[in-house]
Amino acid sequence: MIYTFETRLNVDAATDALLAANAAHWSFGLRKAWVLLYRQGLTKPQAYAELCKLGFTSHQAKSLLISAEMKQAALKELRKVEIRQLKLAVLKREAAVWTKTRKADALSKRLLKLREKRDEFAPVAGWPRSKRYLKVLSQLRELDAELAFCRNWIAQKERVLRDKRGKLARAQKALTENRFALCFGSKNLLAQRPGAHNPESPFESLAAWRQAWDDAREHQWWSVGATDKPQGNAEVQWLPEERQLRLRLTDRLAHERMDERGVPHSGGPQKVMPQRMACRFLVLDGVDFTSHRGAARAALLGAFGQRPVTMRVLYRRHADGSRAWYVQASVDVLEEP
């Protein structure tokens, strides 16, 4: 069974900005991976090469492609569920319309017979209307009202049925073409963007909405686990003895840090190698996974070298606007009877 353990990171302002920049670049890479695979129709090797050109390491590019494929698979399953629900809704409404149409036809036939009776019982000029005539008129009024209600009900249901059939056809087409729409953020949040077109937006300003939008899109990044890597992961590694978290930054951010410190991206004397590695990796101290009776630590220690450990770094926004950073470790825990 997959378990996820979480712990909070203690970071300063500079580290917070660096983590946020890394998350924003990873979010950009995820959107780019989606476009490369499902809009431009590139193969995985082609998309992998393009992502590496954008400043991502080989493992980061693999994680981005896996994330894009997972989102596509989730959308595909949701569309299949939607198609099943639409088919059921169409069948129910078709049956209801058919039943109501039969009732309307029966009412129409009965109405014709009552009109014949009305003509038969019509009073002669100068004579008062008989009770039978008045009774038929009353029945005619009731049937007219009931028939009008049935026809109105059928017209409404047929409009809904046309909409359902159209949605079903579009959903089946999207599933056949394997082409789905994905909003990186939130459709509800996108609809709340303030402006002249949306006076009822809950956000007071565009800047406040932009912060919420960025938080929804760029609040995390993650690294797929690998059994043959130290601590079960190639990019984000937790060192239990030192209580440290070692994070691999994207190549673009690492190169920016190298340029700021005057460190060459490659080559150069041997003494610059530690400086280059310090630019590529971010080490956070005081990181430990604490839980009841040490279950989290024991699960991670038991997985190192045996099972992959997928790591996810994310932040949550506080009421005062500050960010609180967390790291989550997901591992398959072998449960004994």
Side-chain angles (χ1 to χ4, degrees):
M1 181 179 294
I2 301 296
Y3 282 85
T4 299
F5 307 103
E6 179 181 279
T7 185
R8 184 170 176 177
L9 304 177
N10 295 320
V11 300
D12 54 17
T15 306
D16 173 78
L18 187 59
L19 291 175
N22 197 75
H25 190 211
W26 199 90
S27 174
F28 160 76
L30 179 58
R31 299 194 297 272
K32 188 66 176 179
W34 173 271
V35 171
L36 292 173
L37 288 177
Y38 304 112
R39 288 297 177 266
Q40 298 182 12
L42 300 185
T43 62
K44 285 186 66 176
Q46 292 173 334
Y48 171 86
E50 292 296 326
L51 290 174
C52 290
K53 293 177 183 178
L54 296 174
F56 295 98
T57 66
S58 59
H59 188 81
Q60 290 166 355
K62 292 178 182 178
S63 296
L64 291 169
L65 293 175
I66 290 174
S67 180
E69 288 175 338
M70 290 174 61
K71 290 182 179 295
Q72 176 78 355
L75 289 174
K76 192 172 184 178
E77 291 302 318
L78 287 175
R79 191 53 56 90
K80 289 180 180 178
V81 173
E82 181 186 2
I83 289 175
R84 288 196 295 267
Q85 293 176 344
L86 286 172
K87 285 183 177 179
L88 182 60
V90 168
L91 288 176
K92 287 184 177 180
R93 281 167 175 79
E94 286 178 344
V97 169
W98 181 78
T99 303
K100 191 68 74 170
T101 302
R102 287 190 62 189
K103 183 179 179 180
D105 293 341
L107 290 174
S108 299
K109 293 178 181 179
R110 187 178 174 190
L111 197 62
L112 291 175
K113 293 180 179 180
L114 285 175
R115 286 173 179 169
E116 293 177 357
K117 285 187 177 181
R118 180 197 60 186
D119 296 339
E120 181 182 351
F121 301 147
V124 182
W127 289 82
R129 294 182 294 182
S130 64
K131 293 182 178 180
R132 291 184 301 179
Y133 180 75
L134 295 175
K135 183 179 180 180
V136 171
L137 288 180
S138 176
Q139 292 175 345
L140 278 173
R141 285 192 292 268
E142 293 177 359
L143 279 180
D144 278 333
E146 187 174 0
L147 183 59
F149 173 81
C150 285
R151 287 173 175 170
N152 184 50
W153 187 93
I154 291 171
Q156 292 178 354
K157 292 300 179 182
E158 285 180 342
R159 285 195 296 269
V160 175
L161 191 57
R162 285 194 297 271
D163 293 339
K164 294 289 183 182
R165 286 170 176 163
K167 290 181 180 180
L168 178 59
R170 291 190 294 272
Q172 290 174 332
K173 181 180 178 181
L175 184 62
T176 303
E177 298 177 353
N178 198 30
R179 186 180 180 89
F180 309 104
L182 177 61
C183 179
F184 290 90
S186 168
K187 289 185 178 179
N188 293 333
L189 196 58
L190 182 61
Q192 293 174 356
R193 179 186 173 98
H197 66 286
N198 190 13
E200 299 180 357
S201 173
F203 293 93
E204 297 179 356
S205 63
L206 185 60
W209 176 86
R210 172 61 64 181
Q211 184 184 76
W213 178 251
D214 291 340
D215 288 345
R217 304 179 87 190
E218 303 173 352
H219 71 287
Q220 65 174 337
W221 85 85
W222 60 284
S223 176
V224 178
T227 305
D228 58 340
K229 299 297 181 180
Q231 284 72 43
N233 199 290
E235 301 280 342
V236 182
Q237 299 172 354
W238 175 59
L239 308 178
E241 296 180 358
E242 297 83 359
R243 297 179 64 227
Q244 288 181 342
L245 187 69
R246 195 165 178 260
L247 304 170
R248 174 72 182 259
L249 302 175
T250 63
D251 281 350
R252 190 180 73 175
L253 288 179
H255 292 165
E256 291 177 359
R257 298 181 77 193
M258 292 178 193
D259 294 338
E260 292 174 358
R261 302 178 185 184
V263 179
H265 295 177
S266 61
Q270 187 68 23
K271 63 180 181 181
V272 303
M273 182 63 69
Q275 301 177 19
R276 187 181 299 129
M277 297 304 292
C279 295
R280 292 186 183 278
F281 291 89
L282 180 65
V283 179
L284 303 178
D285 296 321
V287 179
D288 199 358
F289 288 89
T290 57
S291 62
H292 181 61
R293 297 181 180 179
R297 175 180 274 266
L300 293 176
L301 290 177
F304 291 164
Q306 303 294 327
R307 293 178 298 280
V309 180
T310 297
M311 305 294 286
R312 178 171 174 246
V313 183
L314 70 153
Y315 73 80
R316 300 185 181 98
R317 185 76 66 173
H318 284 176
D320 60 356
S322 61
R323 288 184 289 249
W325 286 93
Y326 300 85
V327 60
Q328 294 178 348
S330 299
V331 61
D332 188 6
V333 179
L334 301 180
E335 295 185 350
E336 297 181 359

